[in-house]
């Protein structure tokens, strides 16, 4: 007599894998990744793009300051007016850094005589390191607590202390 093999008659039920321990391990792993991650602060320094227009600039009686700082390998030269004329240069110090304190004190005097001006144009003529650009921008933009106070009248006629020197910085040209 013919007998069917036993493996044909017995059906094994397919078992599904238990995913709960795997999901627990994944969530714990994500939790530890988030807890061990170093979050850094990203700082942004606003800078405007030069405006190019075919229209004539608006007519005013006051001549624009047009403050331009040309940064050379050994000095920073300040140009004002249109067309720009060199009014002052600051040589590098003996330690190889730019004379940012002298630059800042000159710009404070310039700001006192041009309270409504807020724009400075940076024109690096040489390749500069990122740190040098940031130091120069900070010297142009920020007024420290130890700097002389500069006051301007607001719309109500009240004196308001300025917190920045030339806060709008435009890059005239950028070297690669």
């Amino acid at each position: 007599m013919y007998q069917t093999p036993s493996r044909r008659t017995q059906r094994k039920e397919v078992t599904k894998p238990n995913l709960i321990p795997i999901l627990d391990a994944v969530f714990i792993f994500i939790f530890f990744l988030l807890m061990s991650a170093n979050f850094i602060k990203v700082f942004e320094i606003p800078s405007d793009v030069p405006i190019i227009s075919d229209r004539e600039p608006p007519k005013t009686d006051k001549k624009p300051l047009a403050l331009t700082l040309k940064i050379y390998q050994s000095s920073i030269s300040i140009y004002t007016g249109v067309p720009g004329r060199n009014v002052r240069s600051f040589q590098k110090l003996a330690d190889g850094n730019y004379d940012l304190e002298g630059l800042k004190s000159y710009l404070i005097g310039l700001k006192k005589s041009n309270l409504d001006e807020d724009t400075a144009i940076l024109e690096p003529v040489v390749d500069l390191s990122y740190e040098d650009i940031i130091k120069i921008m900070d010297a142009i933009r920020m007024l420290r607590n130890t700097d002389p106070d500069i006051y301007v009248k607001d719309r109500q006629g009240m004196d308001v202390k300025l917190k920045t020197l030339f806060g709008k910085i435009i890059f005239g040209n950028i070297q690669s």
Side-chain angles (χ1 to χ4, degrees), residues 137-175:
M137 287 177 69
D138 286 345
I140 295 169
R141 291 182 316 128
M142 295 182 186
L143 276 173
R144 299 176 298 224
N145 292 336
T146 56
D147 291 332
D149 294 338
I150 302 173
Y151 291 94
V152 66
K153 299 271 187 201
D154 65 359
R155 292 182 183 177
Q156 290 82 23
M158 303 291 292
D159 285 336
V160 177
K161 183 180 175 184
L162 288 180
K163 297 177 183 171
T164 59
L165 272 173
F166 297 97
K168 294 180 183 176
I169 296 177
I170 298 172
F171 284 95
N173 70 355
I174 297 292
Q175 300 280 330

Side-chain angles (χ1 to χ4, degrees), residues 16-28:
K16 295 180 181 177
N18 189 3
L19 296 178
I20 293 174
I22 295 172
L23 290 174
D24 285 343
V26 167
F27 283 118
I28 290 172

Side-chain angles (χ1 to χ4, degrees), residues 81-148:
V82 177
R85 67 180 172 85
N86 189 349
V87 293
R88 185 81 191 268
S89 290
F90 295 93
Q91 301 298 322
K92 275 193 172 180
L93 301 172
D95 61 0
N97 293 322
Y98 291 104
D99 183 12
L100 298 179
E101 291 302 317
L103 175 67
K104 183 179 221 44
S105 63
Y106 181 78
L107 290 176
I108 289 172
L110 197 60
K111 180 69 173 185
K112 285 182 179 180
S113 60
N114 297 284
L115 292 173
D116 55 338
E117 293 287 341
D118 199 27
T119 303
I121 301 169
L122 281 182
E123 288 189 11
V125 178
V126 296
D127 286 340
L128 292 174
S129 67
Y130 177 76
E131 289 82 16
D132 285 340
I133 291 174
I134 297 301
K135 287 177 187 177
I136 293 169
M137 287 177 69
D138 286 345
I140 295 169
R141 291 182 316 128
M142 295 182 186
L143 276 173
R144 299 176 298 224
N145 292 336
T146 56
D147 291 332

Side-chain angles (χ1 to χ4, degrees), residues 32-42:
F32 280 114
L33 278 177
L34 287 175
M35 293 305 291
S36 64
N38 290 330
F39 296 104
I40 59 170
K41 290 184 179 181
V42 176

Side-chain angles (χ1 to χ4, degrees), residues 48-109:
D48 295 330
V49 176
I51 298 171
I52 300 173
S53 175
D54 292 337
R55 290 188 291 154
E56 287 289 322
K59 301 285 184 193
T60 61
D61 293 337
K62 187 177 180 190
K63 293 187 177 188
L65 177 63
L67 176 65
T68 304
L69 283 83
K70 290 192 179 183
I71 306 166
Y72 298 100
Q73 188 66 37
S74 61
S75 67
I76 298 175
S77 295
I78 298 177
Y79 292 80
T80 60
V82 177
R85 67 180 172 85
N86 189 349
V87 293
R88 185 81 191 268
S89 290
F90 295 93
Q91 301 298 322
K92 275 193 172 180
L93 301 172
D95 61 0
N97 293 322
Y98 291 104
D99 183 12
L100 298 179
E101 291 302 317
L103 175 67
K104 183 179 221 44
S105 63
Y106 181 78
L107 290 176
I108 289 172

